[in-house]
Amino acid sequence: NAGVTQTPKFQVLKTGQSMTLQCAQDMNHEYMSWYRQDPGMGLRLIHYSVGAGITDQGEVPNGYNVSRSTTEDFPLRLLSAAPSQTSVYFCASSYVTGTGSYGYTFGSGTRLTVV
Amino acid sequence: ILNVEQSPQSLHVQEGDSTNFTCSFPSSNFYALHWYRWETAKSPEALFVMTLNGDEKKKGRISATLNTKEGYSYLYIKGSQPEDSATYLCARNTGNQFYFGTGTSLTVIP
């Protein structure tokens, strides 16, 4: 049981490049989400999904796209990387409820640097 | 209005001391409050999920309480050990979105 798997662990991009951060979970969790972690700030929600085919924006969605074609996978796409997107990105999943009564399982994170 | 505040920002205690820290959040539109433990170079791990006013949860030497009417939760660690050193995060759920605090960084000195 692998839990939540994120790839890559590290990435350096040039400004304007695009890339996809991968996230996969094998726990049959309906809810998946992406966060970014910046110094001095809490984890901030980028996008989330409550099931295959359903996605929604979080607190800081600009510059990012997501899709959810299967229950297992929730990739995050950076369309045109900017230095402001330098951050550590975490994928997290849980069983879905509208009340948040299940804790998250987090991936190990992707450290992204945009130069 | 959605901010989750945690205090103190950091804390150093001696091994064996008991300690506690606070998570404050807006009391309106409350669904759940989560506590996570985040060790350096690892991912956050869920400690507690609390949903009801007056909830108390316990896991070993760590416990938490919840007051949804006044908008705060306390995390207690009894007899701190060096392995308790970590950042402790709380997060408030407002439906399908979680809002995290910036965490309390705990260092337990042997």
Side-chain angles (χ1 to χ4, degrees):
Chain A
N1 196 352
V4 177
T5 303
Q6 280 185 244
T7 56
K9 291 191 183 305
F10 303 94
Q11 183 71 49
V12 179
L13 288 179
K14 293 184 179 179
T15 297
Q17 285 185 315
S18 62
M19 80 158 294
T20 299
L21 279 61
Q22 301 291 345
C23 176
Q25 53 88 14
D26 60 359
M27 297 170 286
N28 205 31
H29 284 170
E30 301 94 338
Y31 186 96
M32 297 185 75
S33 56
W34 279 101
Y35 286 85
R36 58 179 291 172
Q37 167 74 44
D38 300 297
M41 309 191 78
L43 290 162
R44 292 184 294 167
L45 182 64
I46 304 171
H47 285 284
Y48 66 96
S49 168
V50 298
I54 306 169
T55 64
D56 208 344
Q57 296 181 350
E59 193 180 350
V60 288
N62 292 341
Y64 307 95
N65 273 359
V66 291
S67 60
R68 185 93 180 269
S69 55
T70 66
T71 299
E72 294 78 18
D73 299 298
F74 191 45
L76 178 73
R77 296 184 188 84
L78 279 71
L79 306 173
S80 177
S84 61
Q85 294 178 303
T86 294
S87 188
V88 182
Y89 291 84
F90 286 95
C91 179
S93 72
S94 75
Y95 293 110
V96 70
T97 69
T99 58
S101 48
Y102 289 96
Y104 273 144
T105 300
F106 280 86
S108 57
T110 296
R111 185 174 293 274
L112 176 68
T113 303
V114 183
V115 297
Chain B
I1 195 170
L2 295 171
N3 281 351
V4 175
E5 307 279 347
Q6 290 189 247
S7 62
Q9 189 174 7
S10 66
L11 194 55
H12 290 72
V13 301
Q14 291 291 136
E15 181 176 353
D17 286 351
S18 295
T19 187
N20 65 85
F21 18 95
T22 305
C23 174
S24 303
F25 51 87
S27 56
S28 60
N29 198 30
F30 176 87
Y31 286 90
L33 193 286
H34 291 197
W35 281 99
Y36 292 85
R37 181 171 180 274
W38 194 357
E39 291 182 75
T40 302
K42 294 187 177 180
S43 306
E45 291 184 355
L47 280 174
F48 303 116
V49 175
M50 309 175 79
T51 57
L52 298 175
N53 184 46
D55 251 357
E56 291 189 30
K57 299 271 177 135
K58 186 174 181 181
K59 185 183 289 189
R61 294 178 292 99
I62 305 176
S63 60
T65 61
L66 178 67
N67 183 321
T68 61
K69 295 187 187 306
E70 297 180 41
Y72 65 83
S73 175
Y74 294 137
L75 189 81
Y76 301 90
I77 303 179
K78 185 178 178 181
S80 302
Q81 300 297 309
E83 58 264 29
D84 296 328
S85 296
T87 296
Y88 292 83
L89 297 175
C90 68
R92 169 176 174 257
N93 176 268
T94 61
N96 279 322
Q97 298 199 28
F98 285 85
Y99 293 89
F100 280 83
T102 53
T104 292
S105 174
L106 174 67
T107 303
V108 181
I109 303 163

